[in-house]
Amino acid sequence: MELENNMPEPVKKPLNFIEEIIELDNTNNTYQQRVHTRFPPEPNGYLHIGHAKSICLNFGLAKKYHGKCNLRFDDTNPIKEDVEYVDSIKEDVQWLGFNWDGEYYASDYFQQLYDWAVQLVKEGKAYVDDSSQEEISKGRGIPTQPGTESPYRNRSVAENLELFERMKNGEFEDGSKVLRAKIDMASPNMHMRDPIMYRILKTEHHRTGNKWCIYPMYDYAHGQSDSIEGITHSVCTLEFEVHKPLYNWFCNALAIHHPKQIEFARLNLSYTVMSKRKLLQLVKENLVMGWDDPRMPTISGIRRRGYTPESMRNFAETIGVAKRDNTIELSLLEYCVREDLNKKALRSMAVLDPIKLVLDNYPEGQFEELDAVNNPEDPETGKRKISFGRELWIDRDDFMEEPSKKFFRLSPGNEVRLKYAYIIKCNRVEKDKNGNIVSIHCDYVENTRSGQSDSSRKVKGTIHWVSVAHARKAEIRLFDKLFLSYNPEEVEEGKTFLENLNPDSMKVIEGYIEPELPNESPLSTYQFERIGYFCIDKDSTSEKLVFNRTVTLKDGGAKK
RNA sequence: UGACCUAUGGUGUAAUGGUAGCACUGCAGUUUUUGGUACUGCCUGUCUAGGUUCGAAUCCUGGUAGGUCAACCA
């Protein structure tokens, strides 16, 4: 049929700079058309949303070019690492929707790395240095001035060989000796001034136990690990740019498969602290409920808050990849979350700040069941029944005794629609002796219920409600942005980041919800109509539901 | 006062020597039994000074601004 010719042309997505490099490599047959990436976290903390960018990038490239992507734990520093972290990292990567082609650990390569180090020693390209940490630091010089050579730099190969072996055998104390690459103490690149390859650390490793007491440094381990795994494109963040010459130096010196390191700018989010060190501090000082506190920018935190993997992948796609420093506005993240949740979240009515509404002309003790749509964006989710009666809870926000011009919800003498139910008109308010409103009295208008003869009558506002006789209480947590509103750019001078945290970042209130929610289980997400998206907390029991606010609706609902 | 990297609306990101486009934000409007969604329109940009060229966001040179590097962290 002709139909196919009328299909709109698919929009060509421009390549990002990494894809261009890959396609050029494929054209030049640099890696035999192979694309093999890896995500290489150090298991020293939980993954955060910045890692999500890297994960989506690495796994995304592998998928796009029909290649592979490994998960590799860069576990070369046993002091900071733990199995708890490797478990959480695996869970988070899977939650994001990715399956790795191989699961590896830098610690798997300790023997090979050691053998290669011996090889470099034999070739006169590495030496054992007895200098103290301070002496080495001093000898390295400063960026603008060359360093000085260590007095141990010209030891014989035989002596170096013997010393390095004895280092491995545990004959020396921590910090007493290191193995260094013999490169160039005058290099303008500090990382080339005889970088340390191995240090002595008599610490138990979470995987190799006490087998090793010397551990390779990042620079000595990373490129070779990539090489062993046959990685073609080693994608990392910008701060490793100055490490690249060293990465290349080791691959060349050992004459092994040489992956290409490509650097991109890490994600920064406005109002959000992404530093693992600071996040760890919050957890350790019990300032949050844990790594998965819904205020945390960790992947487990945003999961608990109700963000979806789809929206995170879409976010990563939308922010793009480049080499310039960037700060993404939180509004873009929230847009991505809303866009996905709007399609999927089931609607429900809830009242967060209740005030009683009495329909004076509605018979006491009478109730009716009304039809409510579960999700107007997805008709397949069907309808549910909700109970309606004389006494209802509505949100305090939806009533104004003296309304401003732009307010078109309930006010004295004014008509609004109760969602799915009747049009009502406000007669009077009842106040206590202090003048506070205790209840609002209205009349409902007959035949205006949804589906009835006068139901098409137009009123300016529609408000949500729950029946006093049927409503269920729930605890609701409201959060201010991600991560306690901390904005690195707005830090008051002289204050630590802790002092700049917003103490009101979490408000806990009691609200009323519909008696039954479909799919009621931890991490189920709903849109409370006219209020926002809420996620059942992971620790919630059916007796007392706890909700975390995922995101507000755009415009928040209320102009006054 | 070294080396390396970067510079396009408020925020991101395209344009690969040939009409500066897209998304978010903001503002205005249409639809709406969610002040949501959807749709429409508008505002706002090539750091600077030279050079090459018929033509420069793009290439060259010099400035300027920002970032990274001086852990036995990764």
Side-chain angles (χ1 to χ4, degrees), chain A residues 251-404:
Chain A
C251 282
N252 289 333
L254 294 168
I256 54 178
H257 165 66
H258 194 152
K260 181 172 289 175
Q261 176 177 312
I262 304 166
E263 311 86 9
F264 71 96
R266 68 184 326 142
L267 167 68
N268 295 294
L269 260 186
S270 59
Y271 303 104
T272 308
V273 63
M274 216 80 88
S275 147
K276 254 192 202 177
R277 211 197 86 242
K278 288 176 179 161
L279 297 179
L280 179 65
Q281 190 183 354
L282 286 169
V283 174
K284 283 203 163 158
E285 295 183 16
N286 290 317
L287 295 167
V288 291
M289 293 182 264
W291 284 100
D292 65 346
D293 188 295
R295 287 163 293 182
M296 293 281 268
T298 52
I299 293 178
S300 52
I302 63 180
R303 171 167 67 231
R304 189 172 174 188
R305 190 167 168 147
Y307 287 24
T308 58
E310 292 79 5
S311 63
M312 291 302 96
R313 279 185 256 128
N314 187 42
F315 175 66
E317 185 69 33
T318 306
I319 59 178
V321 189
K323 291 194 78 161
R324 82 181 86 129
D325 292 323
N326 61 81
T327 303
I328 309 288
E329 289 177 353
L330 227 30
S331 57
L332 180 59
L333 177 68
E334 294 185 331
Y335 168 81
C336 290
V337 175
R338 279 193 211 105
E339 184 191 44
D340 187 45
L341 250 24
N342 178 54
K343 285 182 280 190
K344 296 194 255 191
L346 296 177
R347 268 55 169 179
S348 183
M349 291 201 285
V351 173
L352 266 36
D353 184 9
I355 188 164
K356 193 176 279 184
L357 180 91
V358 181
L359 300 172
D360 292 323
N361 63 344
Y362 196 91
E364 219 161 321
Q366 181 179 314
F367 297 99
E368 49 191 308
E369 296 222 306
L370 309 176
D371 283 322
V373 175
N374 286 330
N375 183 357
E377 307 294 320
D378 182 4
E380 293 199 358
T381 57
K383 293 180 176 180
R384 67 185 184 283
K385 296 281 186 193
I386 47 176
S387 299
F388 177 85
R390 178 183 160 93
E391 294 197 337
L392 308 171
W393 296 118
I394 66 165
D395 253 310
R396 200 170 291 271
D397 272 0
D398 287 340
F399 177 80
M400 271 186 103
E401 198 169 10
E402 290 164 22
S404 58

Side-chain angles (χ1 to χ4, degrees), chain A residues 36 90 158 164 255 259 403 406 421 425 474 499 509 511:
Chain A
H36 200 156
K90 290 201 267 188
F164 185 46
K406 291 242 173 148
K425 184 173 185 177
E499 288 165 339
I509 59 174

Side-chain angles (χ1 to χ4, degrees), chain A residues 142-160:
Chain A
I142 55 172
T144 50
Q145 279 169 22
T148 50
E149 296 189 350
S150 163
Y152 304 96
R153 195 174 201 257
N154 294 311
R155 287 215 252 233
S156 70
V157 167
E159 190 183 1
N160 281 323

Side-chain angles (χ1 to χ4, degrees), chain A residues 196-213:
Chain A
I196 291 169
M197 294 163 61
Y198 273 93
R199 76 284 213 187
I200 303 170
L201 241 36
K202 291 183 175 166
T203 303
E204 187 171 317
H205 186 278
H206 62 98
R207 296 193 85 241
T208 59
N210 292 310
K211 186 175 177 198
W212 295 88
C213 66

